[in-house]
Amino acid sequence: MPFGNLMVPYLQIFATTARTFSSEKSIATQEFRINPDRLKSQMVYSAVTAQLVNVALESVVPYVKRTVLGKVQTKRTGQDATSNQDLPEEHEFLQRVREEAKLKVYDVATDYHEMVIQFGYLSLFSSIWPLTPLAFFINNWVELRSDAMKIAITSQRPIPWRSDSIGPWLNALGFLSRTGSIVSSALVFLFSGENDSPGGDPANVNVVGLLLTLLSSEFLYLGAQSVVSYSLAQIDSPGLQKERVARYSTRKQLLEETLGPDAMKETAPPTLDAGEKITLAAPQREAKSLSAGANSTPEQK
């Protein structure tokens, strides 16, 4: 797209291989038309069917497998020798620990990878099927709860590690969002007309209109990104507000304990905006008086 009529004949590997062993050495170019319905069907599969299969493979299948295999293994081996040595009051806890130790380790990178791929489909090809955002929203509502069940039931409980951000995944999301502004606008331009859509021939594409569409979309994306970044920078998150309030309360309590309950009522020390003005002449005058004084110490001089 829009060079399908030139590339598709060479992508037919079996036909090309057969022609090399025959007397006909040239590859005939066949008629090729881009099928928007096929693109829509592929997008529906990626947004709906593939997401349902992924949820089933991630949550339902491991839970059923663990339950069934656990019961079968218990019936075959019975109670092991280790559990027989447990104290009665600790047996239930230790048994739960042994079962959880057999589970696989939870890997958060897998969930990040899945969400970034989903965002890629959304930003690049959502114009093919406009219901893609709604399908992904419903899927994420279910995915959020299935991942919580996966963490609590089907995997070892992860150790929480503090992190400032999600790291390199931010770069991937930024790259996909910027690329999506170009790809989505190109798809809308190429398939905007029912009869004028490209059929695989580059001659049917208005190159000037396509380039103007891409440039307009790119500048619109950069402008929106700047506005959003500036707006978010002016808004404090609830966490930062709570941290600032707690810090102020701690300083106020320390000041009142050190200088008394009336410490907060005293006037503030002079500053550049209010109070006396500090100039170079004042410290020079004071240094001169100290050095010339008869009772001044060597440190003061």
Side-chain angles (χ1 to χ4, degrees):
M1 185 175 64
F3 301 96
N5 64 328
L6 302 179
M7 297 179 61
V8 168
Y10 292 92
L11 294 178
Q12 296 177 350
I13 301 176
F14 295 101
T16 306
T17 305
R19 290 191 181 96
T20 56
F21 293 100
S22 63
S23 58
E24 184 180 358
K25 299 298 182 180
S26 61
I27 300 178
T29 302
Q30 62 183 14
E31 183 180 0
F32 175 80
R33 296 287 299 178
I34 295 176
N35 187 4
D37 294 332
R38 181 180 178 182
L39 294 177
K40 181 179 178 181
S41 300
Q42 292 176 344
M43 194 62 200
V44 171
Y45 169 79
S46 301
V48 179
T49 310
Q51 301 297 322
L52 294 176
V53 173
N54 184 50
V55 171
L57 292 177
E58 279 191 352
S59 302
V60 180
V61 173
Y63 177 75
V64 174
K65 180 181 177 180
R66 178 191 176 191
T67 304
V68 174
L69 292 181
K71 292 181 179 180
V72 172
Q73 186 176 4
T74 303
K75 290 182 180 180
R76 286 185 175 181
T77 60
Q79 196 174 16
D80 54 3
T82 306
S83 61
N84 292 332
Q85 300 175 1
D86 297 340
L87 297 176
E89 61 272 14
E90 297 179 353
H91 173 71
E92 183 178 356
F93 170 73
L94 293 177
Q95 187 65 22
R96 180 160 55 88
V97 171
R98 294 190 191 98
E99 293 179 357
E100 185 174 343
K102 299 177 183 178
L103 302 176
K104 63 179 181 179
V105 179
Y106 174 74
D107 186 13
V108 69
T110 303
D111 291 336
Y112 277 135
H113 180 261
E114 179 184 348
M115 290 296 101
V116 169
I117 290 179
Q118 184 190 98
F119 181 77
Y121 278 114
L122 177 65
S123 59
L124 295 174
F125 308 116
S126 59
S127 58
I128 297 175
W129 189 47
L131 293 180
T132 301
L134 178 61
F136 282 152
F137 176 78
I138 298 175
N139 171 78
N140 290 343
W141 187 87
V142 177
E143 185 82 14
L144 182 64
R145 286 149 181 81
S146 64
D147 286 343
M149 185 182 71
K150 178 177 65 175
I151 294 175
I153 297 178
T154 61
S155 63
Q156 298 181 12
R157 296 183 182 181
I159 300 175
W161 298 98
R162 181 167 181 172
S163 179
D164 295 334
S165 67
I166 60 176
W169 297 106
L170 283 176
N171 298 331
L173 293 173
F175 173 76
L176 287 174
S177 61
R178 186 165 185 173
T179 309
S181 64
I182 300 176
V183 176
S184 297
S185 60
L187 290 175
V188 172
F189 177 82
L190 292 175
F191 294 101
S192 59
E194 189 69 25
N195 299 323
D196 298 334
S197 59
D201 187 3
N204 295 333
V205 179
N206 186 356
V207 179
V208 177
L210 179 60
L211 292 178
L212 290 177
T213 302
L214 298 182
L215 289 176
S216 301
S217 176
E218 181 71 6
F219 282 118
L220 182 62
Y221 167 79
L222 294 177
Q225 184 185 35
S226 302
V227 172
V228 171
S229 300
Y230 177 79
S231 301
L232 292 178
Q234 306 304 316
I235 301 175
D236 283 341
S237 64
L240 292 178
Q241 293 178 359
K242 292 181 180 179
E243 183 180 356
R244 191 178 295 109
V245 171
R247 189 185 302 112
Y248 175 79
S249 301
T250 303
R251 291 177 177 176
K252 180 181 178 182
Q253 181 181 359
L254 181 62
L255 187 62
E256 291 177 349
E257 292 176 353
T258 306
L259 302 179
D262 298 332
M264 298 298 295
K265 299 180 182 179
E266 300 293 337
T267 57
T271 61
L272 294 177
D273 298 330
E276 67 172 325
K277 302 298 183 180
I278 299 177
T279 60
L280 183 62
Q284 287 178 345
R285 186 169 54 251
E286 182 179 0
K288 184 178 180 180
S289 62
L290 289 175
S291 61
N295 298 327
S296 59
T297 63
E299 289 81 5
Q300 292 176 340
K301 292 182 179 181

